Amino acid sequence: MLVLGIETSCDETGIALYESRDKRLLAHALHSQVAMHEAYGGVVPELASRDHLQRVLPLLEEVMREAQREKAALDVIAYTRGPGLAGALLVGTGIAFGLAFALGRPLIGIHHLEGHLLSPLLSEDPPPFPFVALLVSGGHTQLMHVAGVGHYALLGETLDDAAGEAFDKTAKLLGLGYPGGPALAQLAESGQPSGLALPRPMLHSGNLDFSFSGLKTAVLTQVRNADPKILSDQVRANIAAAFQEAIVEVLVAKSFAALQQTGLKRLVVAGGVGANRRLRQALIERGRTRGVRTYFPELQWCTDNGAMIALAGALRIEAGIERPEPATGFSIQPRWDLAAVGQADPAVRSEMPSEP
Ligand code: KG4
Ligand code: ZN
């Protein structure tokens, strides 16, 4: 089955071609809008939609050329149906339906987070099911129990800011550009985290939920208190390092508590913050002492891309969870609960053990 994947939920246009028969990604292409949004300090939804519109078809041609396939050979078109920016989603969805209609092929609408969740399966050494997934993106922070394709149970999630959002907002406070996560992580490399006492929100909350907005406020206080008026590079680097340590410590502790609660020994990290080096290192180190193996998608699959959407489409169809639909009228789901696409196992959510 030859599956085309189209991702346009936020600020990256991603197109990919996946052959499910031999589990192979034939080609993929990506355009990041980061440079365009940088001037505004964040994603401007209308600009995002317009840019997707200009990029999707040229990227599609590029992917077909690279894979040396004709569009007529496509079996299914998978597209991101939500969650995301409504206008941006409409572009990918509209093009997916147009193509499907013209080619007489069916479509499958994919939940963006399911794409992230399954993206580690694109690697050469994919994690076997079941596993615990730590989903850390710009919009979401969730711990999920993943029993198989389409079998997801939410173990815990953020009550306010997502981890990536906290990175981005804190980076802004430190005068770094957009997106702030990678810039903050880089600044943190030259900083000393130990001098600053930042909170570890909800570390001992007794459940697997997160909260990161207080951490951002604590950084704001540090920035305000800093003297002289203009923060020295070293002070900024120290704040960045302390912030990163705080957020990493909470993510690691809750991930291992989730593993203990479920009795699983495999952890999968997905989403943009999964690219963070310090987080990767801390998870691997803790895993070594607990007999846990941590799987990371390759860096190129950590952030948004079309490959994870094509893969999720192929896996959902193969698993018999969903049949692709013919191209008739379409809708998008800018707000969409991931639990709605899986079959939650009610036995999974129980109380967190007191000693993570
Ligand atoms: O998964 P993603 O590409 O998009 C969403 O679906 O949200 O995640 C983007 C988020 C942004 O908040 C970005 O700042 C963060 O991931 N991010 C990082 C790093 N690379 C990307 N955060 C911390 N450290 C990084 N190295
Ligand atoms: Zn994403």
Side-chain angles (χ1 to χ4, degrees):
M1 184 171 50
L2 189 59
V3 186
L4 178 72
I6 302 179
E7 155 64 34
T8 65
S9 68
C10 189
D11 56 352
E12 256 116 20
T13 318
I15 305 285
L17 204 52
Y18 182 79
E19 175 54 76
S20 65
R21 197 182 39 222
D22 43 8
K23 297 187 178 6
R24 207 157 61 89
L25 187 67
L26 301 184
H28 72 98
L30 187 80
H31 174 77
S32 170
Q33 303 177 353
V34 160
M36 181 180 76
H37 295 298
E38 207 173 4
Y40 306 94
V43 177
V44 184
E46 181 59 23
L47 293 183
S49 320
R50 291 182 198 192
D51 199 66
H52 284 306
L53 201 51
Q54 290 181 331
R55 307 284 174 182
V56 174
L57 291 177
L59 289 180
L60 171 65
E61 295 304 331
E62 187 183 322
V63 162
M64 301 310 294
R65 217 174 24 245
E66 197 187 317
Q68 298 186 323
R69 300 292 168 102
E70 296 298 324
K71 290 189 207 74
L74 293 174
D75 293 305
V76 182
I77 295 156
Y79 63 97
T80 304
R81 184 167 173 182
L85 301 171
L89 290 167
L90 272 171
V91 174
T93 307
I95 286 178
F97 271 77
L99 263 177
F101 190 69
L103 298 169
R105 295 291 186 274
L107 303 115
I108 182 164
I110 298 297
H111 194 295
H112 180 79
L113 292 183
E114 185 174 30
H116 277 304
L117 208 61
L118 299 175
S119 63
L121 303 183
L122 284 165
S123 81
E124 304 229 316
D125 178 23
F129 296 113
F131 53 76
V132 168
L134 172 68
L135 258 178
V136 269
S137 71
H140 295 85
T141 300
Q142 297 185 334
L143 277 162
M144 309 280 303
H145 176 277
V146 181
V149 177
H151 291 264
Y152 316 126
L154 183 68
L155 301 170
E157 65 184 331
T158 183
L159 305 178
D160 41 55
D161 291 354
E165 191 180 357
F167 265 99
D168 293 341
K169 288 180 175 170
T170 304
K172 213 170 198 172
L173 291 175
L174 293 174
L176 301 169
Y178 161 85
L184 189 146
Q186 201 186 350
L187 181 64
E189 303 255 318
S190 54
Q192 263 303 332
S194 48
L196 279 178
L198 289 180
R200 268 57 175 160
M202 296 188 69
L203 191 59
H204 303 293
S205 62
N207 61 23
L208 297 172
D209 290 333
F210 303 88
S211 164
F212 293 119
S213 69
L215 192 51
K216 173 195 66 199
T217 311
V219 171
L220 180 64
T221 311
Q222 295 288 347
V223 171
R224 284 208 180 120
N225 290 348
D227 198 37
K229 268 177 266 148
I230 297 167
L231 290 175
S232 76
D233 286 349
Q234 192 55 52
V235 172
R236 284 165 67 246
N238 292 347
I239 295 175
F243 167 81
Q244 183 172 258
E245 280 309 303
I247 209 159
V248 164
E249 189 180 325
V250 176
L251 290 173
V252 171
K254 298 263 172 168
S255 298
F256 279 81
L259 288 160
Q260 196 185 359
Q261 179 179 308
T262 54
L264 296 176
K265 292 286 183 192
R266 282 186 290 270
L267 176 69
V268 163
V269 185
V273 182
N276 186 276
R277 281 236 299 271
R278 181 71 194 107
L279 176 64
R280 287 179 169 231
Q281 183 193 21
L283 286 171
I284 290 170
E285 270 168 21
R286 177 79 66 96
R288 229 175 256 140
T289 63
R290 306 281 173 102
V292 166
R293 169 138 185 228
T294 307
Y295 294 79
F296 300 96
E298 282 173 41
L299 283 176
Q300 61 175 338
W301 311 132
C302 275
T303 47
D304 294 349
N305 63 83
M308 66 184 193
I309 302 303
L311 174 77
L315 294 179
R316 283 185 80 79
I317 296 167
E318 277 180 342
I321 293 166
E322 199 172 328
R323 284 229 301 265
E325 51 182 327
T328 50
F330 66 83
S331 63
I332 54 164
Q333 284 181 244
R335 295 172 72 84
W336 193 4
D337 188 356
L338 179 58
V341 301
Q343 295 154 15
D345 177 356
V348 171
R349 187 161 191 153
S350 58
E351 284 315 299
M352 196 181 81
S354 52
E355 196 57 52

